[in-house]
Amino acid sequence: MKLKICDRCKRPYLAGKKACPNCPAPYTWDQESWANLGCLVAMILPIFLVLLFWIFLFFGVFLR
């Protein structure tokens, strides 16, 4: 029986396993996840709202 030592938690685990069962699985990027779309919207929406504010302010003051 061969053992490996985990780099994170320093516990031994079987060499046949891919990763340490005691540590959480590493985060992997999932292109089809809806959370990624939510993050993208959360980043772009405030920029869009600030631009929209200045556009309405400009048109409201100068194009009466």
Side-chain angles (χ1 to χ4, degrees):
M1 172 170 45
K2 291 185 179 181
L3 295 176
K4 286 184 178 178
I5 303 293
C6 177
D7 292 332
R8 280 196 210 163
C9 66
K10 306 297 183 202
R11 291 182 184 173
Y13 66 96
L14 292 176
K17 297 201 177 205
K18 213 173 203 181
C20 177
N22 299 320
C23 294
Y27 177 74
T28 56
W29 177 259
D30 182 17
Q31 292 179 347
E32 298 177 1
S33 174
W34 285 101
N36 296 332
L37 180 63
C39 286
L40 184 64
V41 169
M43 286 174 26
I44 293 175
L45 189 63
I47 296 170
F48 178 72
L49 291 175
V50 168
L51 288 174
L52 202 60
F53 169 76
W54 288 109
I55 288 170
F56 282 140
L57 184 70
F58 177 77
F59 285 129
V61 170
F62 295 111
L63 298 178
R64 280 192 201 185

